[in-house]
Amino acid sequence: TDFPPAQAAMVTVVLTAGLVLHMLFLPWKMPMVNLGDGCLQSMLLLLVAITPAMGTASAHSIEDFHEGVALVMLSCMAFVLATLAFSAGFALSFHLAGATSSAQDFIMRLGRRQSSAETVQLIKKVSQALLEIDVIWAQEALDRRHPGDVSQIINTIELLRTELVMDEISGSMALGRVASRRRTMQESRRSHEHGENMQAKAFDDQPS
């Protein structure tokens, strides 16, 4: 359609749907990136919302106001993009250097990172409690929970399974392959040494 308000309305619907999905799923692992993405979508949505009014403004003061708001929105979007680029470069430099820092965690995770030892101890406590839990009581408790809470529990379980359990299995398999290769090399070396000893013994047993 060539009707500007209808175009703006359709674009607004698309951007609103994207913002709602972003709030629902939080697709990025780093909270800093999720926050920056949400800010960009919000400012872009506001910019699209005021665009039709800019074209139909008659008073000079109203037009100046709309232009000022658009300039502020574009400036904020540029600032957010620059901040995300700087944060990504900052984190990438530490990653390539094989180092970590509290500043990196504070910037990318929007706060202090919890100690890995404390996290592991908490996971172990929860695992032990789950082993002793009554199945029927657990089912009734989950039925009373909100579907969103159940989805978060499932997502947490899947995250633990993929990030910890599967890594441990992969690491164990890799260690098993290394150990098997090492045993094969040791057996081959022993067989070679045994063959050399047999040849030397046979040579010594020959009559002079």
Side-chain angles (χ1 to χ4, degrees):
T1 178
D2 294 333
F3 189 54
Q7 296 174 354
M10 288 186 289
V11 174
T12 302
V13 169
V14 173
L15 292 176
T16 304
L19 184 59
V20 170
L21 291 176
H22 174 79
M23 294 172 61
L24 179 63
F25 294 106
L26 295 177
W28 310 108
K29 281 190 174 183
M30 291 297 177
M32 179 66 181
V33 183
N34 281 318
L35 178 62
D37 194 1
C39 291
L40 286 175
Q41 294 188 46
S42 301
M43 286 180 280
L44 185 60
L45 181 61
L46 181 59
L47 185 61
V48 172
I50 67 173
T51 300
M54 294 173 62
T56 59
S58 57
H60 184 70
S61 58
I62 298 178
E63 184 179 357
D64 291 341
F65 172 76
H66 289 160
E67 291 180 356
V69 171
L71 180 61
V72 170
M73 291 296 103
L74 292 175
S75 301
C76 291
M77 293 172 65
F79 174 76
V80 171
L81 287 174
T83 303
L84 289 176
F86 173 77
S87 301
F90 183 73
L92 182 61
S93 63
F94 274 91
H95 177 73
L96 294 178
T100 58
S101 70
S102 57
Q104 176 188 0
D105 288 337
F106 183 80
I107 294 175
M108 299 304 294
R109 302 178 187 276
L110 299 179
R112 185 182 66 87
R113 184 177 182 178
Q114 189 173 0
S115 173
S116 299
E118 296 177 358
T119 304
V120 171
Q121 292 298 326
L122 181 60
I123 293 174
K124 285 187 175 182
K125 290 181 180 179
V126 174
S127 302
Q128 293 174 358
L130 289 175
L131 291 176
E132 301 174 357
I133 199 172
D134 183 70
V135 177
I136 298 177
W137 179 87
Q139 291 176 353
E140 294 176 352
L142 289 176
D143 291 338
R144 293 192 299 268
R145 294 294 183 272
H146 189 272
D149 296 335
V150 178
S151 298
Q152 289 185 357
I153 294 174
I154 295 174
N155 292 336
T156 303
I157 294 173
E158 288 295 326
L159 185 63
L160 288 173
R161 185 179 67 86
T162 55
E163 296 293 339
L164 294 181
V165 179
M166 297 304 295
D167 285 350
E168 183 179 0
I169 293 175
S170 301
S172 300
M173 293 176 62
L175 290 176
R177 288 193 295 268
V178 172
S180 177
R181 191 180 300 113
R182 187 176 301 168
R183 287 195 299 269
T184 303
M185 294 177 61
Q186 291 176 353
E187 292 176 358
S188 176
R189 189 181 299 110
R190 284 197 295 266
S191 299
H192 182 70
E193 292 176 354
H194 180 71
E196 290 181 349
N197 293 333
M198 293 297 294
Q199 291 178 0
K201 184 178 181 181
F203 179 78
D204 293 339
D205 292 341
Q206 290 180 358
S208 57

